[in-house]
Amino acid sequence: MHGRIHLLALSFALALPPAVAAQFADDPPKPYVPTRPPTQKELDQRASLKQYVLGLLCQREDRLIEAFRAFEEAARLDPEAAAVWKAQLPLLLALDRGRDAVVAAQKALALDADDFETWFLASRIQKSLGQFAEAQKALERGLATNSLKEHPEIAQSMWLDLAAMHEVADEVGPAIKALSAAVAILDHPDILLDHGPFERALIVQRAAETYERLGNLCRKAKRFPEAIAAYQKAQQRAGDQTGRLNFNLAQLCQEEGKHAEALNYVDVYLRRTPLGTEAYDLKINLLVKLKRDQEILPWLEKAATADRFNMSLKVLLAQKYAEAKRLAQAEKLYLALAEEAPGAEVYQGLFRVYQQDAAGSLRTLELLDRTLARAQLKPISPASAHAATQAKAMIAAVRDDAALAKDLVRAASASFPRSPWERERPKELQFDTVQLLAALADRNDQPAEAERFFRQALRSAPPAAEPLLYSGFLRVLWKSRQWDAVVKLCQEGLANAKGTSHVLFHADLAKAQARLGRPDEALRSA
């Protein structure tokens, strides 16, 4: 220690003018002599301070373990120094010792209850551990400290954290109060700029975001005038007069029953040609409320032309064509969409249009069968790959819509030959189509149709498809409790199957024979 003092004095003397340096050389500083011997407590405090400084140096050099040990030793030597406990917090967090960090924070706060920074850090630690009630109390204690008044840059973050906790707990009133306190600070960027290297634009942006959150909460609490004021302030600070906040204002006015005002706001928002259809749906509802239904289709047609890459908007237009019974226009638009961007929603809409036609679901069946045939063409080409994509979308459309699936199965069953001796046989369906019909019938509790299509599919099934078909067919027979039919199908499978393990047939055969009261046969099959 004394050596460091002499070196410091020497470096200071070398920096002085020669005359002054000579004076210090003639009259060097006298060594410190205490007036009384230090107490053990003072010695411990001095040693604690040394360990604390050592810990800071190690921490600066990213030697975290050594820094933590130094801080621990400092706390052992002087447990009444709040700083040595507070210094441990970031290191304990870095070492993933969150619960120990909570203990250290509690000890620091017991010694210095006015330390808002430690309250803030303790809150975030407790929140990360799932201790939400304790985290909220810590924030509230920190916000009540006198020292926080001089640090608005920290206060706004603490208010925002507290608001988020109230929002999660669905405590709307306290959340509004906390957000109001936060924006009261954020609305004075000049003051915040005096407390750190912040950017004015980021402060203003955060104020806009906070005002929007405040507007959402006021709207939820039915405090409509406050919500409108908050949204408008957010809009002013965002500097975007056609932004999505107009959509929030439109929704708010709609809830208040101010449909004309809501329409004005949503029209301004729609100038941005937003993605999706939420704003378009809102305008349609408003036009209906205002009894201006006749404007909907002409406006949608113009909007879809102006925003030609918005596929969702075109689907919405097709839906409105169908609702207006303009089926030819709806079909034409759906088919164009299916060529450009095939999806389940597109085909569901198209198939519902076909349901309103005299031919019913047969048109759906023909389109599906034709598309599956194109998808199977070899060699693979861009056309067959596109057809495969369309086929997947069609299958998803009928799979996810039980009404469509049932109608498709019924239509196919009505046109399908019931026996090989019928004179007028319709065009044979693709194997993949028949297999799909069997699966749809099974999925939607149509056992007679499922049995018919599973049997038809098995007649032309390639060996690789057999296991799925046999297991599906057996499942249908089991559900309808047709034990004799299970026995017969298993025997047929044992005799004819080429790509299916016989274990499947023996196992199901044994169970069916047991159900039929034939224990000896069941035992042999097992």
Side-chain angles (χ1 to χ4, degrees):
M1 176 71 77
H2 293 299
R4 291 181 187 174
I5 293 172
H6 290 319
L7 285 172
L8 179 61
L10 178 59
S11 63
F12 180 64
L14 290 173
L16 293 174
V20 181
Q23 181 182 351
F24 272 97
D26 295 337
D27 185 16
K30 296 178 181 179
Y32 167 70
V33 178
T35 57
R36 60 173 178 78
T39 64
Q40 185 59 47
K41 183 177 181 179
E42 290 171 336
L43 291 172
D44 288 343
Q45 287 175 335
R46 192 178 301 171
S48 174
L49 181 60
K50 180 180 177 182
Q51 290 295 321
Y52 177 70
V53 173
L54 176 61
L56 293 176
L57 291 172
C58 292
Q59 188 175 10
R60 179 174 294 182
E61 297 173 2
D62 287 332
R63 294 153 55 193
L64 301 185
I65 301 297
E66 295 171 63
F68 179 66
R69 287 173 181 165
F71 289 142
E72 270 192 320
E73 179 62 14
R76 186 189 69 78
L77 291 165
D78 187 7
E80 295 179 3
V84 297
W85 296 107
K86 182 178 178 180
Q88 295 180 34
L89 297 180
L91 298 175
L92 287 167
L93 291 176
L95 296 171
D96 199 22
R97 293 171 57 181
R99 299 193 181 279
D100 291 335
V102 170
V103 174
Q106 289 171 342
K107 290 182 178 179
L109 290 167
L111 296 165
D112 184 6
D114 199 48
D115 184 354
F116 65 89
E117 288 183 323
T118 304
W119 283 117
F120 190 19
L121 187 54
S123 169
R124 292 202 162 176
I125 296 169
Q126 288 167 325
K127 183 180 177 182
S128 70
L129 295 173
Q131 300 171 1
F132 299 111
E134 293 82 354
Q136 183 174 322
K137 288 178 184 177
L139 268 179
E140 290 168 348
R141 289 287 301 275
L143 287 164
T145 57
N146 292 321
S147 57
L148 183 63
K149 296 174 183 177
E150 303 300 322
H151 295 274
E153 77 286 2
I154 304 296
Q156 58 89 22
S157 292
M158 294 176 72
W159 282 117
L160 289 172
D161 274 18
L162 183 60
M165 289 182 183
H166 286 306
E167 283 184 82
V168 170
D170 203 24
E171 297 167 352
V172 178
I176 290 174
K177 183 179 178 181
L179 285 178
S180 299
V183 293
I185 298 171
L186 291 167
D187 260 349
H188 297 86
D190 291 331
I191 296 176
L192 290 172
L193 290 171
D194 291 336
H195 289 80
F198 306 117
E199 292 184 27
R200 177 182 290 273
L202 293 178
I203 297 172
V204 174
Q205 180 184 344
R206 190 164 198 179
E209 293 168 355
T210 307
Y211 268 119
E212 185 179 353
R213 284 176 61 189
L214 182 58
N216 292 338
L217 286 173
C218 290
R219 176 184 163 197
K220 187 175 182 179
K222 306 296 183 185
R223 291 157 62 169
F224 297 124
E226 294 175 61
I228 290 174
Y231 284 138
Q232 289 173 338
K233 288 179 181 178
Q235 199 171 49
Q236 291 164 7
R237 283 148 186 79
D240 184 4
Q241 297 304 309
T242 64
R244 59 189 175 83
L245 289 169
N246 283 295
F247 183 57
N248 297 118
L249 286 164
Q251 291 177 312
L252 187 56
C253 290
Q254 182 195 33
E255 291 174 15
E256 283 193 278
K258 299 177 180 178
H259 300 127
E261 290 182 44
L263 186 59
N264 290 334
Y265 280 121
V266 80
D267 276 336
V268 174
Y269 175 66
L270 286 171
R271 291 175 196 164
R272 302 183 70 188
T273 58
L275 296 174
T277 61
E278 191 177 7
Y280 294 96
D281 288 327
L282 176 58
K283 180 168 179 176
I284 290 170
N285 291 333
L286 291 170
L287 288 172
V288 171
K289 293 284 185 183
L290 293 168
K291 301 190 183 305
R292 293 164 55 182
D293 310 56
Q294 70 282 359
E295 299 177 27
I296 293 174
L297 273 176
W299 159 68
L300 272 179
E301 288 171 338
K302 289 181 181 178
T305 303
D307 190 8
R308 59 193 184 90
F309 296 110
N310 190 337
M311 296 297 109
S312 299
L313 177 56
K314 291 184 179 180
V315 170
L316 178 61
L317 175 58
Q319 290 171 351
K320 294 304 172 184
Y321 278 144
E323 289 175 14
K325 302 300 181 183
R326 293 164 63 170
L327 302 183
Q329 287 172 287
E331 180 187 6
K332 182 180 178 181
L333 183 51
Y334 275 128
L335 288 173
L337 287 167
E339 283 299 317
E340 190 174 353
E345 186 183 13
V346 171
Y347 280 112
Q348 281 178 347
L350 177 63
F351 296 160
R352 289 182 187 127
V353 169
Y354 286 162
Q355 280 183 315
Q356 299 183 55
D357 188 84
S361 295
L362 278 178
R363 296 183 68 187
T364 300
L365 181 63
E366 291 170 3
L367 177 61
L368 176 61
D369 189 59
R370 191 164 60 247
T371 307
L372 285 168
R374 288 205 313 270
Q376 298 298 323
L377 292 176
K378 302 294 181 182
I380 297 175
S381 65
S384 62
H386 185 59
T389 302
Q390 291 177 316
K392 288 179 183 177
M394 291 181 191
I395 292 169
V398 293
R399 182 192 61 214
D400 298 337
D401 189 317
L404 282 177
K406 288 181 178 180
D407 281 352
L408 182 65
V409 168
R410 281 193 288 264
S413 181
S415 65
F416 209 80
R418 296 180 179 274
S419 72
W421 299 279
E422 289 187 16
R423 291 187 177 182
E424 294 186 4
R425 292 176 60 85
K427 179 183 176 182
E428 286 290 341
L429 296 174
Q430 298 291 321
F431 165 74
D432 288 338
T433 307
V434 179
Q435 185 179 23
L436 173 64
L437 290 167
L440 290 175
D442 179 21
R443 183 187 182 98
N444 292 287
D445 297 322
Q446 296 171 290
E449 291 82 356
E451 182 176 348
R452 179 181 305 165
F453 289 123
F454 271 122
R455 192 172 296 281
Q456 179 65 23
L458 280 169
R459 290 175 188 158
S460 57
E466 274 188 5
L468 187 62
L469 288 169
Y470 273 116
S471 60
F473 195 176
L474 286 168
R475 181 173 60 252
V476 170
L477 296 176
W478 279 112
K479 284 195 293 186
S480 56
R481 307 173 71 83
Q482 298 184 58
W483 320 134
D484 286 317
V486 171
V487 169
K488 185 176 180 181
L489 181 61
C490 288
Q491 290 170 340
E492 289 176 2
L494 289 169
N496 302 319
K498 298 177 182 178
T500 309
S501 169
H502 284 195
V503 173
L504 171 67
F505 303 120
H506 286 304
D508 278 48
L509 182 59
K511 288 188 288 184
Q513 289 167 332
R515 292 291 180 93
L516 291 168
R518 304 183 204 161
D520 294 337
E521 296 177 29
L523 186 60
R524 283 195 298 273
S525 298

